[in-house]
Amino acid sequence: GAGVSQSPRYKVAKRGQDVALRCDPISGHVSLFWYQQALGQGPEFLTYFQNEAQLDKSGLPSDRFFAERPEGSVSTLKIQRTQQEDSAVYLCASSLSATAYNEQFFGPGTRLTVL
Amino acid sequence: KQEVTQIPAALSVPEGENLVLNCSFTDSAIYNLQWFRQDPGKGLTSLLLIQSSQREQTSGRLNASLDKSSGRSTLYIAASQPGDSATYLCAFLHNAGNMLTFGGGTRLMVKP
């Protein structure tokens, strides 16, 4: 079956540009997570959705970062006025249930390079 | 705040060796622990998941243990193969939240 997909796989942006990263979770998965992975480091939590509700955005590094999941399925992570420190791999994960912890399944990530 | 440390950061071994990857954490209030594998340019593949009430899990040549009292987990890989070359990440689900907290990873190279 289809796993978590992300697009684009690679994105190069000039400093100051806005970017939008897309995540298609596994069909029927209630929970969706975004993580940021800097080069040579482990992923760090950004934000969490349960259906369309954004329940935790404590990991978003600045107000330039915005995430949405309007219909409780596809999610978009938007970064405004990109900076060089935003260069990283952005990973999306989904899990089946909201009431009890289920394994998170990760997408391949979007590698963002800000020049 | 949970801090997760993985040692060593990088490891190179000849094929066939048994090896141990270490993961330590500062907050014992964990719900479960996962070990992931990450290949270059790819996402994360879950290898083993240990619930907080368990002490170990096994899958094939992999064995993961959890000792909450000492704040440590180990991933044991038996009879390593070149195909095991990847970055291995441990991650914790804290009792109070849904997000995973990751260590920095161990980059493993198994030489033929």
Side-chain angles (χ1 to χ4, degrees), chain A residues 9-10 33 35 37 40-45 48 50 56 58 89 91 98 100-109 111, chain B residues 1 31-32 34 36 38 40-47 49 51 87 89 93 97-105 107:
Chain A
R9 292 293 314 278
Y10 304 92
F33 305 81
Y35 294 86
Q37 185 175 24
Q41 300 182 21
E44 293 192 355
F45 170 77
Y48 158 61
Q50 181 177 310
D56 189 341
S58 62
V89 175
L91 295 166
Y101 176 71
N102 286 95
E103 181 180 355
Q104 293 183 25
F105 294 88
F106 282 79
R111 180 176 297 277
Chain B
K1 178 183 175 182
Y31 189 86
N32 62 36
Q34 277 185 271
F36 291 89
Q38 186 173 34
K42 302 289 181 63
L44 306 179
T45 301
S46 180
L47 298 173
L49 186 151
Q51 301 291 349
T87 295
L89 295 153
L93 186 72
N98 282 291
M99 77 291 286
L100 292 169
T101 301
F102 285 84
R107 295 185 304 282

Side-chain angles (χ1 to χ4, degrees), chain B residues 9-90:
Chain B
L11 181 63
S12 181
V13 300
E15 181 177 4
E17 275 202 7
N18 302 323
L19 54 98
V20 176
L21 308 182
N22 296 291
C23 177
S24 62
F25 51 96
T26 56
D27 187 347
S28 61
I30 63 170
Y31 189 86
N32 62 36
L33 170 146
Q34 277 185 271
W35 281 92
F36 291 89
R37 168 184 174 140
Q38 186 173 34
D39 293 281
K42 302 289 181 63
L44 306 179
T45 301
S46 180
L47 298 173
L48 290 164
L49 186 151
I50 308 177
Q51 301 291 349
S52 62
S53 57
Q54 298 174 322
R55 291 192 63 84
E56 66 177 334
Q57 283 286 336
T58 299
S59 176
R61 294 182 294 108
L62 305 179
N63 175 276
S65 67
L66 174 63
D67 184 344
K68 290 176 60 178
S69 62
S70 66
R72 298 177 69 176
S73 175
T74 60
L75 179 67
Y76 175 82
I77 303 177
S80 59
Q81 303 171 357
D84 295 331
S85 299
T87 295
Y88 291 81
L89 295 153
C90 66

